[in-house]
């Protein structure tokens, strides 16, 4: 997994795997940190990218274009949105479990840590192996190697003081039926908890087959998760107390006035035509 490179250890990320998909948001946060430091300063993303054995040349070229920079803004904004929800939940439940589903090399828990909550970062074993080197566990933070479709991961979560689950750029890789089964089981298992995650409609998912989903080998998104309207989720379970949603780009911190004309147009496109939203499901208590 790791190699020695010019006297310094570097951690290898395999190409054309689901694992590789973690590179885009991580690198996007780094690029954003460099290009829009007043909006998103993320020294951790910069540090982690510098420690990976991965050829960023192709992604770098794409992401440095005006359209590519919008992708970087999207992933940084998404992390901001989800962190906002985590911090909001922690105000009322300061000792809660904070669970990052499909964590990749994202450090949202550390950005939200109030000193008393408990963090859990869950991903496939090959990702957790790299994570353990770059973002090792601490007293209140654990890295767990599980396929989220294997519900035994739920046994690891201490939700006695509440739980806030979040998934950033993850459910696009899941079949709709698997997302449904996962949410139904979670709602039964974690009463009073919330889950927040990003989603887009089928058009958006199709567009992602040319970028994000390509590395995971997904070309046909017809059976994969996408959402035209958050209300579709209300029918999924009687254990949901509420389903709400906000604009991904403008719902939490409106950066509209801070971006270029092209990026303003792209924000409208994402809101109206691709339906990029942050969804929050509250489970009945
Ligand atoms: C696009 S990356 C996002 C990573 C991270 N959430 C972020 O925003 O930087 C998708 C992540 O989901 C993970 N993932 C996909 N399917 C999974 C599954 N069935 N179980 C656990 N993790 C999964 C991948 O390994 C990858 O790390």
């Amino acid at each position: 997994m790791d190699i020695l490179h010019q006297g310094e250890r570097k951690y290898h990320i395999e190409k054309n795997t689901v694992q590789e998909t973690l590179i885009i948001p991580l690198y996007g946060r780094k690029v954003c940190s460099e290009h829009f430091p007043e909006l998103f300063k993320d020294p951790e993303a910069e540090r982690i990218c510098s420690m990976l054995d991965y050829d960023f040349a192709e992604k770098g070229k794409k992401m440095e274009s005006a359209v590519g920079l919008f992708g970087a803004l999207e992933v940084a904004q998404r992390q901001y949105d989800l962190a906002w929800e985590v911090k909001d939940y922690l105000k009322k439940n300061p000792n809660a479990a904070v669970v990052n589903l499909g964590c990749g090399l994202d450090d949202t828990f550390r950005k939200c840590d109030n000193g008393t909550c408990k963090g859990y970062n869950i991903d496939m074993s090959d990702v957790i192996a790299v994570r353990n080197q770059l973002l090792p566990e601490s007293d209140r933070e654990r890295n767990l190697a599980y396929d989220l479709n294997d519900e035994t991961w739920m046994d690891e979560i201490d939700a006695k003081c509440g739980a806030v689950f979040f998934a950033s750029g993850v459910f696009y890789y899941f079949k709709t039926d698997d997302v449904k089964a996962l949410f139904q089981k979670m709602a039964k298992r974690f009463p009073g908890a919330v889950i927040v995650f990003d989603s887009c409609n089928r058009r958006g998912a199709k567009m992602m087959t040319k970028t994000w989903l390509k590395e995971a080998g997904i070309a046909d998104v017809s059976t994969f998760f996408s959402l035209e309207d958050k209300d579709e989720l209300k029918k999924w379970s009687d254990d949901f107390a509420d389903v709400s949603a906000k604009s991904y780009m403008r719902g939490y911190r409106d950066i509209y006035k801070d971006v270029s004309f092209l990026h303003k147009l792209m924000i409208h496109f994402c809101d109206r035509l691709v339906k990029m939203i942050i969804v929050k499901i509250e489970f009945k208590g």
Side-chain angles (χ1 to χ4, degrees):
M1 189 59 65
D2 49 319
I3 60 165
L4 287 175
H5 186 75
Q6 293 178 341
E8 176 191 307
R9 186 169 264 181
K10 293 245 176 186
Y11 299 91
H12 183 66
I13 299 290
E14 208 62 58
K15 289 251 182 199
N16 300 314
T17 59
V18 175
Q19 182 197 37
E20 190 190 0
T21 66
L22 67 82
I23 288 292
I24 304 179
L26 174 71
Y27 191 66
R29 291 192 291 271
K30 170 195 178 286
V31 167
C32 232
S33 184
E34 289 163 354
H35 284 262
F36 307 99
E38 63 296 343
L39 288 175
F40 307 98
K41 193 68 200 137
D42 196 338
E44 266 305 84
E46 296 182 32
R47 177 186 74 88
I48 295 170
C49 281
S50 75
M51 292 183 73
L52 293 178
D53 166 42
Y54 183 85
D55 181 5
F56 288 102
E58 192 199 339
K59 288 209 169 44
K61 215 159 75 194
K62 280 192 191 144
M63 223 174 249
E64 300 283 338
S65 71
V67 173
L69 280 179
F70 186 75
L73 274 173
E74 282 177 333
V75 296
Q77 185 78 339
R78 174 174 83 192
Q79 193 192 44
Y80 178 92
D81 298 346
L82 296 174
W84 189 99
E85 289 288 0
V86 170
K87 288 178 197 158
D88 189 54
Y89 187 85
L90 289 176
K91 281 184 203 152
K92 286 196 185 130
N93 307 278
N95 302 325
V98 175
V99 189
N100 188 345
L101 304 172
C103 56
L105 295 173
D106 166 284
D107 65 340
T108 298
F109 170 72
R110 296 183 186 185
K111 291 186 163 83
C112 301
D113 187 8
N114 61 0
T116 56
C117 58
K118 295 174 286 285
Y120 301 88
N121 305 300
I122 309 178
D123 210 304
M124 303 290 210
S125 54
D126 52 354
V127 173
I128 292 298
V130 179
R131 186 177 180 98
N132 282 339
Q133 304 294 326
L134 296 170
L135 291 163
E137 299 185 320
S138 64
D139 284 355
R140 285 178 297 102
E141 186 181 18
R142 294 182 59 203
N143 294 334
L144 302 173
Y146 280 95
D147 180 333
L148 290 167
N149 293 309
D150 163 11
E151 64 189 280
T152 56
W153 67 262
M154 296 183 197
D155 299 340
E156 303 268 7
I157 312 298
D158 173 2
K160 281 194 292 291
C161 301
V164 51
F165 298 87
F166 64 99
S168 169
V170 175
F171 295 134
Y172 309 108
Y173 303 94
F174 279 55
K175 298 274 172 73
T176 304
D177 287 346
D178 292 337
V179 179
K180 191 174 184 174
L182 178 68
F183 288 2
Q184 287 170 342
K185 283 177 197 153
M186 288 174 69
K188 287 240 176 290
R189 190 72 187 260
F190 303 107
V194 306
I195 178 165
V196 279
F197 58 95
D198 53 303
S199 81
C200 67
N201 67 8
R202 180 65 58 85
R203 175 190 280 135
K206 273 191 190 148
M207 287 168 61
M208 276 193 249
T209 55
K210 298 189 180 69
T211 52
W212 298 68
L213 304 182
K214 203 163 97 187
E215 277 133 15
I218 300 173
D220 172 11
V221 291
S222 55
T223 58
F224 285 81
F225 180 67
S226 63
L227 210 54
E228 208 60 50
D229 186 323
K230 66 167 174 39
D231 289 342
E232 292 167 31
L233 296 174
K234 287 188 174 157
K235 301 178 216 121
W236 279 15
S237 170
D238 291 337
D239 297 315
F240 294 173
D242 192 37
V243 179
S244 55
K246 290 187 192 180
S247 158
Y248 186 115
M249 293 306 283
R250 306 191 68 180
Y252 290 84
R253 176 171 62 161
D254 193 351
I255 57 170
Y256 190 76
K257 62 176 184 337
D258 302 309
V259 299
S260 67
F261 178 67
L262 173 70
H263 290 166
K264 283 185 172 61
L265 283 179
M266 291 177 83
I267 287 177
H268 283 295
F269 179 77
C270 289
D271 272 350
R272 297 197 188 138
L273 298 170
V274 178
K275 304 276 170 63
M276 280 174 54
I277 51 176
I278 302 290
V279 181
K280 173 156 83 171
I281 306 179
E282 295 170 59
F283 303 148
K284 283 184 183 162

